[in-house]
Each structure stands twice: as structure tokens, then as C-alpha cells.
Amino acid sequence: MIPVTEFRQFTEQQPAFRVLKPWWDVFTDYLSVVMLMIGVFGCTLQVMQDKIICLPEKNYMVSCNQSEFLENQSLSPREPLSVPVIQEMKGLKTNLDFQQYTFINQMCYEKALHWYAKYFPYLVLIHTLIFMVCSNFWFKFPGSSSKIEHFISILGKCFDSPWTTRALSEVSGENPEEKGNKKRSTSKTNLNMSTDEGNLERTPSLRSIPEKIVVDKSAASVLDKKEGEQAKALFEKVKKFRLHVEESDLLYGMYVRQTVLKVFKFALIIVYNSVLVCNVRTRVVCSVDIQDMTGYRCFACNHTMAHLFYKLSCCYMCFVGIYGLTCLYTSYWLFYRSLKEYSFEYVRQETGIDDIPDVKNDFAFMLHMIDQYDPLYSKRFAVFLSEVSENKLKQLNLNHEWTPEKLRQRLQTNANNRLELQLFMLSGLPDTIFEVTELQSLKLEIINNVTIPAAISQLESLQELSLYQCSLKIHMTATAFLKENLKVLRVKFDNSRELPAWLYGLRNLEELYLTGSLGSDASKNITLESLRELKSLKTLYLKSNFTKLPQSIVDVASHLLRLYIYNDGTKLVVLNNLKKMANLTELELVHCDLERIPHAIFSLSNLQELDLKENNLRSIEEIVSFQHLRKLTCLKLWHNSIAYIPEHIKKLGSLERLHLSHNKIEILPSHLFLCNKIRYLDVSYNDIRFIPPEIGVLQSLQYFSVTGNKLENLPDELYFCKKLKTLKLGRNALSLLSPKISYLAALAQLELRGNHLEALPAELGSCPALKRSGLAVEDSLFETLPSDVREQMAEE
């Protein structure tokens, strides 16, 4: 015997799955139980009681064939019969014992009784079990049960989540008049949408289920950190689950198939039962060739269960009929309505959450099934499909995590001497940031869906804003605040469409830094027409891939003082617009693939600093034209391919800083040192073998670097540069350092690493500003100094 406990596994999941069982499935389940009881009752009767009772008939009284004829014909009593009159038998002795009667009963039961009368209870059991399997197969099939279990698990958590109650209570707490207006406007919008998207399935049942949440507003607004994290995890689960189940319609197809199978089964049962139920008779004539064993061949038998089985079969067909009509209604519901699409139109109207998306396929089908159980489940579940609701939750979690005290701990002073707060890779902008009123600079990096609200006006000291790969939305009031207060704006973007449109209206902006790729025709893509509104702009930094300077830069040419172009190796061809920037004091054209110094630069009479780093300059003969730039004090020609320095450089009498490192210079011309105002000279990483003695003319020289050259000795005149503070001689071929280095009393940094020196002169101790931290030399070489000198240099 199979214990009843073995069937427990088939019913354990039913309580959880009840939310996916509409009323017709529940009703048919009860009908199945009743039909199962009919089958069990019939089977019990067959087991517990005798099935058939037979008595022999005398051949001389009535032939067996005639008896069979009488039993099988259904003639009207009014029709005359031409048969002999049957004589009444009175206690005729048959001389049969009990075993013979048992044998006869069994033989006649097997041969004479109709198969339907014998197996009716078993047929009821089999059909009922098939109905029950069909009703629950989609709950057990691996491909569908996994989706159903996951869905019910998420559904229950979403229903009970404190965040669901909070989100819906916030909606219910709106001003009734505003809410009514909002609903009217939403209904109009949805009405217009419905004309265009009539294929979406509405859910009328949701129209009448406004969720009345009676909750204390202060209590509803409180959501601890743990609950917030749980709600955040639910949003992620719902997203992944939706992505998974919307790909197919397995659940819908399986439910349709099992419903069609039940309808077919219903029709089959009704048809063959209606035909065969008349074969359940009380009296059965049995003719068995066992005369040699019992002395009789023809028997009259009584089917003891016939009357009851006939009643049970009629009752069974009634229940099957009701079952079938319910299945027909289910089929009508399945095929008449579009169950592969589910619209949250009425939920959007009632909750005011307008961004709840409509769903399709298996996700839509399960939601339709949920609505048959309780539409409130769909309404509460919809909260976790809304991006607005998710963003509110993220905002709440951010506010929990980033308290004002924590934000103040991250404040640092930046290069512009402003209190700066840097936030990196957050899910949004915490509202608590607006409580840090002393904030002067805000730097946001890789933060998606940044929304700057009107509360930013509380940051009265804010002057600097940096946006590095951030998708930004801004409130109108916040835009007005930034227009009046922002001084510095830095934007790093991936394409020109990410440039915030409001930056063109920042009338008090002084510094603008734009970094990002703008395509091959960038001068057309970047529409800087509105730069003319930037009346206070002094500094413009553009790091992109221009082929020519944007024409709109001319709009700020009259008041622009500093222009920085970093071109990422793209050849910058047209530079005529530079001529119109008469007030320009600093110009950087970096990595622009320039082969010559642009002639437009020579028109910038106010230019003080020029940087042509990382270009392709080979010759700088045009340097003679720099004599017209009488204010030029800093010239940076580093990281190029310059082979020699023309003697015209002597005409740059105002030059104070000269950068010529990372070139191919072999000879330093003596004319270079006629620029006697030079304070900073960097010729490192070239091929220089000799330093002219004229270097002693540079009495203002404070920084001199020849690192990475081929020097074997130094001129004594170098030590006449008494103001020299930094001397870098590393990575050369020096074998001796002159004791005259003691003349450099202001020397604070000396680099000697990477030479062929065997010892250091003790005269280094006569350089009072030189300490061990400022002496870059091998430890073994440092040990060659006298101990008193080492102790002196070790003192900080």
C-alpha cells in the first residue's frame, strides 16, 4: 500500500500558488474532488459487495436464446409477443453448491456484463485524475514552475514591502484638488493614447480598487536603512525577472493547452457516457458453455450495483457538464481577451505614478491571473516597475548613507582654494548635500540620472561645478541660480548631445572646460552659438578632436584671456580665428599635429604664455616673429621633434620661461643665453653634449634642467648663476662635479642620479639650502661625503 503522506508533495505548493488560481480553477478543483469521491465510492462498493448474483434457467421452460431476445429488445408493452407463456417457478432445486455459484457468478460477470457497467467507477477515477493533472500541470512542469515560484516569491515581498506602503501613501497624501486635476489630465492623455494603442489590454477590474491607506504620514516617511536595501534588491529582482519572462509565452501556451485538453476530455466523457449509460442494467442474461460442469448453460443474473451505478453515472455526467461549461468559459476568456499584453492604465490613473510600463507575454499573463484573485496585488506590484519610484528609493537610501556630517568630512581645498566635495559613481545626488552650505565647489563623476533640484539655491557659496560623464537634469529654479552664481564649469562628455543646454546661459561664468569627442565635423556638431551670452568668460578649455576652431569662439574673442585646445592628435588646420582674440594672454595648442608655428599667433600682441606641446614641430624658424609679442614671457615647445634652435631666439628679450625638453636638440646656441631674463630653462631629454660658457650671463636663472642628455662636463660659468635653486643633471655622462658648486648658495634641489661620478665634493656642505631630501643621488655616492656634511644635510 502507498501511504497517504506520499501525496503531500502534490499539495504543499498549493497555498502559495493560490494567487494564480482564478475562480474557475478553484471551482473546477472542488468539482474534481466531488467526482473523485464518486469514483472512490463506486470502487469501494465493488470491492465490499458482491458484484453479480446468477441463477440457472431450465431449458424446457424458456430457451436461452429467447430470453436473450426478450432482454435485449425494447418493445412497447402494447405489442403482442408470439412466445410461450412462462410458468412460475417455485423453489426449484438446482443441486448446485456454493463453489459452483461463485464460479458461475464470476464467469457471467466477466462474459455477460457490459464493460461500461463493470469499469464505470474506474473510468470516473481515471478521468478525474486527468482533470486534476491538467489543472495543475503548469505548476509542476520545470520550465513553468520555476517562473511561477520566482514570481510568487517576488510578488509576496513586493506586497508586504514597507516601500510599497510608503510610495502609495505619498500619492494618497497629495492635495485632493491637485490630485483630481492630475487625474483628469492623465485620463485625457491616456484617452489619446488609447486611440493610438488600442491593442493594449486594459484591466477594468483595477478601476474600482482604490487602495485607501490609512497611515500616519510621518510614520510612512520613515524607512530604515535595512528596509531601503531590501526594497532596492526587490527593484533589481523585478527588473531581471521581467526581462526573463517577457521573452516567451510558455506559461500562456501551457495554460491554453491544458484548458483545451480539459474541454476535449469533457466532450469525450459526455458523448460516450450518454451512449453507454443505458447498458447499466439490473438483470443480465448469461449463456456460458459450462453445462458439463454445472449441468446448466443459461443463467439469469442480477447486477446488484446497477441501479446505484446508473444513478452515479447520471450524477457524474451532471458534474462533468458543469465542469465542461466552466472550461468553455475559461476558453472564451483565454481567446477573447488579449492576455499577452497587460496595461497599467488604471493603476497609473489612481496612483499618479505615470511611468509604470505596460508588460507582455508571460509577465502579462500572470498579472491577468493575479487580477482574477485580487487586483490589489497588481497595484502594489506595479510600484516596483516604476523608475520614478525606484529613483525615490535610491534617493532615500542615498540620504541615509550620505549624511551632512559624512559629506563635511570629505570636503577638501582644491587648486582654486575652494572647499570642494567630490562624489564618485553614486546612484544619484543626495539631498543632504544642500545642507552643506559652506560648499564652494561640487565635483560629480560618473553619476547617472543626476537631478539638480531647486534646493541647490541653498548653497550660496557654490561657485564651481564639475560634471564628468554625468547624465544631468536640472530644475528651472536651479538653472536661474547657476546663471547668477556659477564661476567655473567643467564638463566631460562622450558626445555633444550630453552637453547641458543651460551652460550657454551662464552669464557670470568665468571659466569653461569642455572635454569629449565631437566627431570628425566637430566644428558643426558643437553649436556654441550661445557663447555670446557668456559675457564674463575669461578661460575656455576645449579637449576634443577639432579640425578647425569653432566659429562660435569668435563670440567671446573680445573678452577671452585664456584659450586651451587639446586636440588628441587630430590635425588642426584652420587657425585664422585666433587673430580676432586680441586680448588673449595664454594660449595652449596641445597635440594638434602642427608642423609649423601658426602665423595667426604672431598677431596676439597681449600674449604672455604659449604652449605648443606634443605637436610635430621640426623647425622653429618662425620664432623670429615672436619679437613682436613683447609681453611673451613663457614659451613651451616641449615634446616635439625640434633639431636645433635658431639664433633669432635672442630677440625674445622678454622671455622668462623656456621649455624645450623631449626634442632632438644637439647644440645649445650661445645666442640663447642673450635672453638674459630667463628664470626657468628646461632642455632635458635631448642629445646635448656641450653647454656654452655663455650660460653664466643668465643671472636670473633659478631652474635649469639638462637631465637625459650626453654631457660629460659642465662649464665653470654655470656656477656664476647665483640665484640657481634647482639644478638637474641626472642621466648624463658626468664623471666629476666641480667644487665650485659651493658658489650656488641658493641651491635647494640637485639631481645627480644616473652619472659616472665616483665621489661628491665636500663643498656641497657650503650650500645651506641643500638638504638630503633635495639631493637626488645614489646612496653609495652620498656616503662619499664627509660625515659632518652628511649630518648637516640630514637636518631638516
Side-chain angles (χ1 to χ4, degrees), residues 56 63 69 121 200 282 347 365 383 493 533 541 564 574 588 612 614 671 741 754:
S63 67
F69 176 80
L200 286 180
T282 302
V347 179
F365 177 65
V383 172
F493 54 92
E533 299 295 329
Y541 174 100
Y564 308 110
V574 182
E588 292 186 9
L612 299 177
E614 294 181 352
H671 302 283
I741 196 165

Side-chain angles (χ1 to χ4, degrees), residues 137-149 250 254:
F137 182 72
W138 72 316
F139 291 142
K140 305 295 182 181
F141 183 70
S144 58
S145 64
S146 60
K147 291 182 179 180
I148 293 174
E149 288 175 3
L250 174 66
M254 186 167 293

Side-chain angles (χ1 to χ4, degrees), residues 757-762 764 777-787 789-790:
L757 298 173
E758 296 180 358
L760 294 178
L764 282 176
V777 68
E778 293 83 354
D779 292 338
S780 59
L781 197 57
F782 180 72
E783 295 297 328
T784 62
L785 288 172
S787 59
V789 175
R790 281 181 283 147

